[in-house]
Amino acid sequence: MRGHTHWVNGAVHLPGGRHIITCSLDGSLRLWDIESGTQIGEVWQDDGNGVRFIALSPNGKKIASGSEDGKVKLWDIETRKIIAKWTGHTVVVCALCWSGDGGQVASGSWDGTARVWDVDSGKNILKIKTGHEWVRAVMYSPDSSKLATGGNNVKIWDAKTGEILNILKHYNYDWVYLDSPRMSDQQDDDIIRSLTWTTDGQKLISGSYRLIRIFDTATWQQSAILAGHTNFVYAISLCQNNRLLASVSQDKTARLWNLDTNLQVGSPLGLQHEHNLHSSSLSLDGKVLVTGCENTNAYAWDVHAILKEAGLEDLLSIGIKLVSVNVSPALLLSLTMFAVRHQKTDSNKRHLKMIQEYRIHPALRSMTSHF
């Protein structure tokens, strides 16, 4: 999908599955027909300030956007006009999330604060000085009782009072050799770029440098590591059945993950890509993934076709709940890398099959000549 003139930083799927909205550092939002890849109507633009992030309201009627100038803007999708501007942050707003009832919007900024805004009144009803140098991710729990923020670690807050509830340390790993990962001697905190909760609230997933981590929210212990990316994981998107995860990275790839096995599905998407990917958005049914890229384009990937080829179509259905076991982070990483090594030769186990030819959404296959 071509039209933006700067990095594409975000995308959301609208109800019905036919349309998406993207945002860009060119200062615009754009509406697209996902089947044809064509832009619908004029550019949505206000003051030209770059747009870092967008989030769709639970009822699908409004968009919240975060700008380079620190403003949070509320857009009416039907009229394609701004209906509110909220000021308070002093620099870039790069993270947004709606509460479950649509009554509040949480924002995260490079000024180190997270704020909660009342949608009806437009008032800033909560300001949290997070202690992060930059707040790069913010995410409500499914019941909206908690707020997770990501910076140099993950912090869990009471969404009403702003009281700190927990801190989830993310240690860097020193990957000198792929076959023998070890924790760095310095164990510096990692930088968290993305967060999402499972719909049942039982797990919190984070994306950081090379790794995606899964935490059990009953104990706040790390329960799994997804290894494969070779640079920062900028965005993650979870299918509503909690079984399929999509991620994009500064390593210029998008990846799909089977959360039943915590293994990658097929090959990375966009192996020939020459630009970083900044956004990841799965459709409501999980069948289409939209990614936003630094080359000013957005791409739609046919996830259903990828899963079908891998023999994993059932990942789009409601699966059996798995029991997680709490083990140490070092052991988790070792087990993950053991699986990565052996999946290259074990072709008889379908859930370990990794080498698949990626598939782009058929309607947009002709639009990827620059890959």
Side-chain angles (χ1 to χ4, degrees):
M1 283 163 276
R2 294 172 176 163
H4 285 295
T5 59
H6 210 311
W7 298 358
V8 178
N9 288 324
V12 295
H13 293 262
L14 298 185
R18 291 195 57 189
H19 301 136
I20 64 167
I21 295 174
T22 57
C23 71
S24 168
L25 281 183
D26 65 15
S28 74
L29 276 64
R30 297 172 190 245
L31 177 66
W32 306 86
D33 184 300
I34 200 169
E35 292 294 330
S36 65
T38 57
Q39 183 177 317
I40 301 172
E42 299 297 320
V43 172
W44 305 15
Q45 200 152 12
D46 180 37
D47 50 19
N49 281 289
V51 183
R52 283 279 178 174
F53 199 89
I54 53 174
L56 181 69
S57 65
N59 65 9
K61 295 181 178 181
K62 297 182 179 70
I63 290 274
S65 67
S67 300
E68 292 271 284
D69 63 357
K71 292 187 179 71
V72 177
K73 300 173 185 178
L74 199 62
W75 301 75
D76 182 277
I77 293 176
E78 184 176 0
T79 64
R80 307 176 191 179
K81 301 294 184 182
I82 292 176
I83 55 178
K85 293 182 183 181
W86 304 328
T87 58
H89 289 295
T90 57
V91 288
V92 175
V93 175
C94 62
L96 293 164
C97 182
W98 290 76
S99 63
D101 62 3
Q104 291 85 40
V105 171
S107 58
S109 169
W110 290 3
D111 64 13
T113 69
R115 293 173 181 259
V116 175
W117 309 85
D118 181 84
V119 174
D120 289 337
S121 68
K123 292 182 179 179
N124 180 196
I125 58 176
L126 182 65
K127 176 183 176 181
I128 302 174
K129 296 181 179 179
T130 65
H132 303 308
E133 183 177 2
W134 290 356
V135 180
R136 299 175 185 268
V138 62
M139 188 63 62
Y140 271 108
S141 60
D143 65 2
S144 300
S145 65
K146 301 178 184 67
L147 196 64
T149 60
N152 56 319
N153 48 40
V154 173
K155 295 183 179 181
I156 311 299
W157 310 86
D158 184 297
K160 290 185 177 180
T161 66
E163 177 187 359
I164 184 72
L165 302 177
N166 219 310
I167 300 176
L168 310 183
K169 291 288 187 178
H170 285 58
Y171 294 119
N172 274 320
Y173 289 96
D174 182 5
W175 287 25
V176 178
Y177 300 102
L178 183 65
D179 289 344
S180 58
R182 63 183 178 84
M183 292 186 71
S184 169
D185 293 336
Q186 294 181 348
Q187 295 190 358
D188 294 327
D189 285 346
D190 208 342
I191 297 176
I192 313 308
R193 296 274 186 167
S194 47
L195 292 168
T196 190
W197 300 72
T198 53
T199 56
D200 57 13
Q202 295 182 9
K203 296 176 183 177
L204 178 66
I205 306 174
S206 67
S208 56
Y209 183 63
R210 296 185 176 183
L211 301 179
I212 297 169
R213 295 172 171 89
I214 302 176
F215 291 86
D216 183 332
T217 59
T219 62
W220 295 115
Q221 296 299 305
Q222 186 173 285
S223 60
I225 294 174
L226 311 184
H229 281 297
T230 59
N231 213 317
F232 282 108
V233 179
Y234 278 153
I236 53 180
S237 179
L238 182 64
C239 189
Q240 286 209 331
N241 65 7
N242 300 323
R243 301 181 64 201
L244 180 70
L245 184 77
S247 60
V248 298
S249 168
Q250 195 177 354
D251 66 11
K252 304 176 178 63
T253 69
R255 299 173 192 247
L256 298 175
W257 304 89
N258 178 348
L259 294 190
D260 289 351
T261 61
N262 295 327
L263 294 173
Q264 186 177 310
V265 176
S267 297
L269 311 182
L271 285 173
Q272 298 92 347
H273 220 289
E274 297 179 354
H275 301 271
N276 299 333
L277 299 170
H278 282 263
S279 66
S280 168
S281 181
L282 281 168
S283 59
L284 192 62
D285 59 9
K287 292 182 178 180
V288 178
L289 170 67
V290 173
T291 58
C293 184
E294 283 186 7
N295 68 357
T296 74
N297 297 329
Y299 300 91
W301 303 87
D302 191 337
V303 174
H304 183 258
I306 295 169
L307 295 179
K308 185 176 182 179
E309 182 171 340
L312 294 170
E313 287 181 273
D314 66 316
L315 285 181
L316 297 178
S317 63
I318 298 176
I320 299 172
K321 181 178 179 181
L322 302 179
V323 177
S324 62
V325 179
N326 294 324
V327 296
S328 72
L331 177 57
L332 278 168
L333 189 59
S334 297
L335 292 172
T336 300
M337 298 319 303
F338 176 84
V340 169
R341 291 197 303 274
H342 286 271
Q343 67 193 350
K344 295 177 183 177
T345 58
D346 189 357
S347 58
N348 295 322
K349 294 185 178 181
R350 188 177 67 186
H351 68 280
L352 291 180
K353 186 178 180 184
M354 294 280 283
I355 309 303
Q356 309 286 351
E357 181 183 358
Y358 66 81
R359 289 289 183 264
I360 299 173
H361 196 279
L364 303 178
R365 198 166 287 147
S366 63
M367 305 176 66
T368 58
S369 59
H370 63 283
F371 270 26

